[in-house]
Amino acid sequence: MEYRLEQVNDQIYVLAIWDAEWNTYTNAYIIEEEAGLTVVDSCKEGHLVFLQHALNKIGKTADDVKLMLITHGHEDHVGGETLFTKARKVIHADETPPPGSSISGELLDKGTIGDYDYSTVGYHSPGSVVFFHRPSRTLFTGDFLCFFGDPLSEDGLVSKGDDLRRAWMEYLQGGGVSDLPMFLNGLRIMKDYDADVLCTGHGGVLVGEIDVFLQELIGIGEKSL
């Protein structure tokens, strides 16, 4: 199984694991902070070995993870939570944690945890949340906005990703979004964070002109209403 570990910026790593069963890259993120590591999402349970290997490659272990932020409760985002026995693990109250897990459904519709602001955007699942890391101006979108099943950008895993942006705009223009008003509301919430980096749940990580990309999507969506 193929996986990639790349640095997004000074604090953040992306782990992208190729899932042959679902034909997509599934992403998890490792953030280095003074209080320890934060992990955003954790791939499937069957991918734990890759998560462990990624931590080891940056000189860390699972015990260094003190906080796990979960964008939503699907198996490809919560499956690795059993690895982090020393971490506080949080998800939105409208999501269902795996049976027997130590994940707390404590997130509200909007709030702050340490250096992260978060907001519920829904659409993909009832309690889908985006997290904004203030120090690096990085937005973690989960599967609300991602590249499920798409190849990586021709410019690489972490890039401006103009080809991926064009593909998303074409997808939206073609009517691919089922609940357009809810999706547009989520895009507006995301745009208000004024992010420099967009870390998605699957596939490419976008760097630069994020506000322009989100506004283009909003403009296309509004014309389609």
Side-chain angles (χ1 to χ4, degrees):
M1 182 180 292
E2 176 192 359
Y3 86 92
R4 298 181 180 216
L5 177 68
E6 293 188 19
Q7 199 154 5
V8 177
N9 53 40
D10 289 344
Q11 286 185 268
I12 300 173
Y13 294 85
V14 54
L15 170 65
I17 301 170
W18 177 251
D19 186 336
E21 180 187 6
W22 290 5
N23 197 39
T24 191
Y25 281 99
T26 298
N27 299 350
Y29 297 92
I30 304 166
I31 303 96
E32 294 184 313
E33 305 186 78
E34 288 185 12
L37 298 182
T38 295
V39 166
V40 178
D41 292 338
S42 64
C43 304
K44 290 181 178 179
E45 186 175 6
H47 297 159
L48 278 175
V49 63
F50 303 106
L51 198 48
Q52 288 178 307
H53 192 243
L55 288 166
N56 292 340
K57 283 189 75 172
I58 64 172
K60 305 292 183 179
T61 71
D63 285 350
D64 293 312
V65 177
K66 305 305 179 186
L67 177 64
M68 180 178 172
L69 303 175
I70 306 167
T71 59
H72 63 291
H74 293 166
E75 65 171 300
D76 53 328
H77 295 263
V78 300
E81 66 89 17
T82 55
L83 191 62
F84 307 120
T85 59
K86 309 288 187 183
R88 174 189 178 193
K89 310 167 199 177
V90 295
I91 198 169
H92 191 273
D94 288 343
E95 296 290 296
T96 304
S101 77
S102 57
I103 297 172
S104 170
E106 65 185 76
L107 297 185
L108 307 174
D109 288 344
K110 191 177 182 68
T112 297
I113 296 179
D115 286 337
Y116 300 82
D117 296 327
Y118 69 86
S119 294
T120 309
V121 288
Y123 180 70
H124 181 73
S125 65
S128 281
V129 167
V130 296
F131 295 98
F132 180 66
H133 184 237
R134 294 188 303 275
S136 64
R137 307 205 62 77
T138 299
L139 188 64
F140 300 90
T141 66
D143 288 0
F144 176 85
L145 181 62
C146 69
F147 303 104
F148 189 94
D150 293 331
L152 298 180
S153 169
E154 60 187 21
D155 296 321
L157 173 59
V158 181
S159 67
K160 188 179 178 187
D162 286 331
D163 47 349
L164 295 181
R165 298 178 193 227
R166 286 192 298 270
W168 235 107
M169 288 187 279
E170 291 170 3
Y171 176 75
L172 186 57
Q173 286 173 324
V177 171
S178 57
D179 189 339
L180 191 52
M182 179 179 287
F183 185 69
L184 284 171
N185 183 63
L187 289 178
R188 295 184 186 107
I189 290 170
M190 289 165 51
K191 187 175 183 299
D192 283 344
Y193 284 119
D194 192 22
D196 294 330
V197 181
L198 201 69
C199 287
T200 73
H202 297 272
V205 174
L206 304 184
V207 179
E209 298 184 3
I210 302 303
D211 58 335
V212 174
F213 174 50
L214 294 177
Q215 186 55 55
E216 287 174 333
L217 292 178
I218 290 168
I220 292 169
E222 288 177 341
K223 288 180 183 178
S224 301
L225 285 176

